[in-house]
Amino acid sequence: MAKPLANVTVLEMGTFITGPCAGMMLADLGADVIKVERPDGGDPFRAFRGGFYSPHFQTYNRNKRSITLDTRGGPDLEAFDRMVASADVFIQNFRPGVADKLKVDPERLRAINPRLIYLSISGFGATGPDRDRPAFDTVAQAASGFLRLLVNPANPRVVGPALADAITGFYGAQGVLAALHERATTGKGRLVEVSMFEAMAHFNLDDFTHYFSDDQVMGPYSRPNVSQSYVFQCQGGEWIALHMSSPPKFWENLAIAVGQPDMLERPEFASRDARIANYEKVAAFLAPLFAAKPRAEWCATLEQLEVPHSPVYSAPEVIETPQAQHLGLVVEDPNGPHGPFRTIRSPLSFDGERATSVTAPPVLGQHNDELLGADTAASAAAE
């Protein structure tokens, strides 16, 4: 298994998603990620279900080791500082000011180790009028302009996974990788900072670009209309998705597939611009056609005619597809602390090598003896 970050040691004091996600991204690339947790419960995401091992916690904490330390002082702080001295990366996603209270602020840690790359993740940034505002996934999505592109105006509800949390973690890991590359030349570490607000504003770049270049404010249907994307319900209630942006042969073949060879002569289908302008009419024409046949039958026909499509799968369906099976998308640690642990592997391959194994997320303090020594571990456990 390729491990391009095999010689990188990361200390992660991440909680919930953003920090742990950044740590997991590095761990998936082979870094030794040591999750430093408070003795009194650790990462709060552990407790979202009983046993301090919730599915929420499992999602972003694979391939890591866990130790418990109270870094506010005493032997625990001394043990932590010894680890900082030889670490390559430190990650935290506390609200501004908390790192100082825990004595893990960048000034102190970088004084111990000038080569340290310190990743600080915040909600709205380390400075500015919104510095102290609490920020969670939905808040960051809304503040960055992204959420309005997802919400159905007729039935406004927050939908989908915690995109802002995860995406911010991705950006954080990217910043760490850039700083590691630079350090190879300069020998010096960096303070890398990213906020959820900035990350999501950048992720929402297409929205801003349309505004800057064309004075266009995008809405929830702007991209689906332009990309000519559709979701239809088939006979039996299953869903299928189509993406018909280009080239014209996709529409010509779709007309054959749905048994409407003259479909493109209709005014709403006559050209790309016509289909975009009449999106609802196009969808209304196609919807009853797709409802008349089972999804499997549609997939067979559309595949034969090379019309871009996919069933709208659930998670159990995805992992049973031949392509997922072929790619080994699911990896397993048979010896997880609570039984076999399954997850989706990293999507990256290096010279044809991809991740084929995984280490289950650690239980709280699982590696105290291994990393801290018996005396320090016993002291941490007693607190």
Side-chain angles (χ1 to χ4, degrees), residues 153-319:
N155 184 29
R157 296 288 187 277
V158 176
V159 297
L163 282 173
D165 284 328
I167 287 166
T168 303
F170 286 21
Y171 277 113
Q174 180 188 41
V176 167
L177 293 174
L180 283 168
H181 175 75
E182 182 189 50
R183 193 186 69 178
T185 301
T186 66
K188 296 181 181 180
R190 282 279 194 182
L191 170 60
V192 180
E193 297 177 282
V194 62
S195 71
M196 296 173 68
F197 173 63
E198 292 168 285
M200 286 309 295
H202 186 271
F203 186 73
N204 194 26
L205 192 59
D206 186 52
D207 186 15
F208 288 103
T209 302
H210 277 78
Y211 172 66
F212 293 145
S213 66
D214 199 31
D215 203 30
Q216 177 186 353
V217 178
M218 298 180 74
Y221 303 121
S222 298
R223 180 194 162 275
N225 287 16
V226 172
S227 66
Q228 300 170 79
S229 301
Y230 307 88
V231 175
F232 297 113
Q233 191 171 38
C234 303
Q235 187 182 82
E238 296 177 310
W239 296 87
I240 192 169
L242 283 70
H243 189 113
M244 305 292 294
S245 56
S246 61
K249 72 171 185 178
F250 291 157
W251 282 99
E252 295 164 3
N253 290 353
L254 179 64
I256 297 171
V258 298
Q260 300 286 329
D262 299 330
M263 182 177 75
L264 301 186
E265 297 177 10
R266 298 173 65 92
E268 64 268 31
F269 285 90
S271 66
R272 178 179 183 274
D273 288 342
R275 291 189 294 270
I276 292 172
N278 295 280
Y279 182 90
E280 296 299 335
K281 288 184 179 180
V282 170
F285 179 86
L286 293 172
L289 300 178
F290 276 92
K293 296 181 182 179
R295 186 172 70 180
E297 187 174 335
W298 280 119
C299 287
T301 301
L302 296 173
E303 183 173 355
Q304 183 179 18
L305 291 167
E306 296 186 336
V307 176
H309 73 284
S310 175
V312 180
Y313 284 134
S314 65
E317 291 173 317
V318 172
I319 62 177

Side-chain angles (χ1 to χ4, degrees), residues 47-252:
F48 269 52
R49 186 180 288 182
F52 292 106
Y53 205 71
S54 73
H56 305 275
F57 173 80
Q58 293 178 45
T59 300
Y60 295 105
N61 288 285
R62 66 192 186 199
N63 293 327
K64 300 178 186 179
R65 298 191 283 176
S66 170
I67 60 173
T68 53
L69 291 173
D70 184 345
T71 59
R72 290 175 295 183
D76 280 11
L77 181 59
E78 294 173 5
F80 175 75
D81 286 352
R82 287 193 294 271
M83 300 183 76
V84 169
S86 59
D88 296 290
V89 180
F90 177 79
I91 298 173
Q92 59 91 347
N93 61 300
F94 302 123
R95 289 177 66 176
V98 173
D100 298 82
K101 295 178 181 178
L102 297 178
K103 298 186 179 179
V104 297
D105 53 279
E107 293 77 17
R108 201 183 78 82
L109 299 196
R110 295 177 72 199
I112 295 172
N113 180 0
R115 290 176 52 82
L116 185 70
I117 293 161
Y118 187 113
L119 173 60
S120 176
I121 302 174
S122 63
F124 284 94
T127 60
D130 290 340
R131 171 185 183 270
D132 296 317
R133 284 183 59 188
F136 293 90
D137 180 82
T138 304
V139 173
Q141 286 195 40
S144 64
F146 185 77
L147 186 63
R148 66 183 301 275
L149 302 181
L150 302 183
V151 172
N152 179 349
N155 184 29
R157 296 288 187 277
V158 176
V159 297
L163 282 173
D165 284 328
I167 287 166
T168 303
F170 286 21
Y171 277 113
Q174 180 188 41
V176 167
L177 293 174
L180 283 168
H181 175 75
E182 182 189 50
R183 193 186 69 178
T185 301
T186 66
K188 296 181 181 180
R190 282 279 194 182
L191 170 60
V192 180
E193 297 177 282
V194 62
S195 71
M196 296 173 68
F197 173 63
E198 292 168 285
M200 286 309 295
H202 186 271
F203 186 73
N204 194 26
L205 192 59
D206 186 52
D207 186 15
F208 288 103
T209 302
H210 277 78
Y211 172 66
F212 293 145
S213 66
D214 199 31
D215 203 30
Q216 177 186 353
V217 178
M218 298 180 74
Y221 303 121
S222 298
R223 180 194 162 275
N225 287 16
V226 172
S227 66
Q228 300 170 79
S229 301
Y230 307 88
V231 175
F232 297 113
Q233 191 171 38
C234 303
Q235 187 182 82
E238 296 177 310
W239 296 87
I240 192 169
L242 283 70
H243 189 113
M244 305 292 294
S245 56
S246 61
K249 72 171 185 178
F250 291 157
W251 282 99
E252 295 164 3

